[in-house]
Amino acid sequence: MSDIRPPVTFCGLIRESQHVEVPMIQRDYAQGRASEKDLRNDFLGALHDALLLPVGDLRLPLNLDFVYGSLETGATVRFLPLDGQQRLTTLFLLHWYLSWRDDQLTDFTARFRDGKHSRFTYRVRPSSTEFFDSLLRFAPADSPDDVPSVRRMLEDQPWFFLHWRLDPTIQGVLTTLDDIHGRFRATEGLYARLVDDEHPA
């Protein structure tokens, strides 16, 4: 039997599920591949346009279609997506970027970090898990205005392992972050809009 629930924001999913883990049986983050540039840019464009619409606009909230998975209960509750992991990953990266853009990394960390670990992660490879944990502990010293490439900024950090360059998920994440940077670098105040549960975009 399946449970169809009302729409929920990404922050709401994290809050209710405690953790979102892409399970080992799933593929890498494919939306960040070079071959997926058109799909990725279309999705980022739709997110960008929705976040710029005023509260109450009849075109809101943007419907991101079904996300399907299973809920693993125990000491820690975990949502394991079986469909929708690509959209969820891009949304997570957008939350990280806009929190940095708007000087809200403290709020982002409070929502998305559990101790030393990211509450959103990939179990496909250990290196992917390590990367997401490291990203959640990282607070860039520079403003986005002073960073030409998010990829190069992250790859230049002392915590970035060289072998991570061989992980397709991490490479996809870096590609997507650069595309997010290109589209959202001139924005302001969109993080608050993104995490608004009362009037979701």
Side-chain angles (χ1 to χ4, degrees):
M1 180 175 154
S2 65
D3 289 329
I4 304 292
R5 54 159 298 153
V8 64
T9 64
F10 185 73
C11 283
L13 177 64
I14 289 284
R15 185 173 56 250
E16 293 173 20
S17 303
Q18 298 179 21
H19 293 82
V20 173
E21 290 185 4
V22 177
M24 291 180 68
I25 62 169
Q26 292 291 78
R27 62 181 178 160
D28 291 293
Y29 174 51
Q31 202 168 87
R33 293 175 183 165
S35 61
E36 299 295 325
K37 185 172 181 63
D38 290 342
L39 175 66
R40 182 170 61 250
N41 284 336
D42 287 348
F43 186 44
L44 291 176
L47 295 172
H48 179 269
D49 293 348
L51 287 169
L52 290 179
L53 290 173
V55 171
D57 191 289
L58 295 179
R59 290 167 287 181
L60 295 176
L62 177 65
N63 186 342
L64 299 182
D65 210 351
F66 287 105
V67 172
Y68 172 78
S70 61
L71 204 58
E72 189 178 83
T73 58
T76 303
V77 179
R78 302 176 193 281
F79 176 70
L80 310 176
L82 299 175
D83 182 40
Q85 75 176 70
Q86 308 295 323
R87 285 165 285 151
L88 291 175
T89 305
T90 302
L91 279 173
F92 171 79
L93 298 174
L94 183 61
H95 280 74
W96 180 84
Y97 179 83
L98 290 180
S99 72
W100 172 40
R101 166 81 265 170
D102 291 342
D103 197 25
Q104 293 295 316
L105 276 169
T106 301
D107 181 86
F108 173 82
T109 300
R111 292 173 187 267
F112 290 96
R113 193 169 80 184
D114 183 7
K116 294 182 179 180
H117 301 288
S118 172
R119 294 175 68 186
F120 179 87
T121 195
Y122 270 65
R123 294 294 180 198
V124 179
R125 288 182 176 84
S127 52
S128 301
T129 305
E130 294 166 1
F131 172 80
F132 280 103
D133 286 346
S134 296
L135 185 64
L136 261 289
R137 294 192 293 266
F138 176 55
D142 295 321
S143 160
D145 295 329
D146 302 323
V147 174
S149 167
V150 180
R151 171 190 286 275
R152 287 200 298 272
M153 176 188 72
L154 294 176
E155 288 179 338
D156 286 344
Q157 299 308 310
W159 48 262
F160 191 97
F161 294 105
L162 289 178
H163 70 268
W164 287 355
R165 296 172 192 253
L166 303 175
D167 184 317
T169 289
I170 296 173
Q171 292 310 299
V173 163
L174 297 176
T175 298
T176 297
L177 283 172
D178 266 352
D179 284 351
I180 290 173
H181 189 43
R183 188 174 292 269
F184 287 87
R185 69 186 305 167
T187 65
E188 185 177 350
L190 294 189
Y191 178 73
R193 189 76 192 88
L194 189 60
V195 299
D196 185 348
D197 283 326
E198 289 189 21
H199 307 286

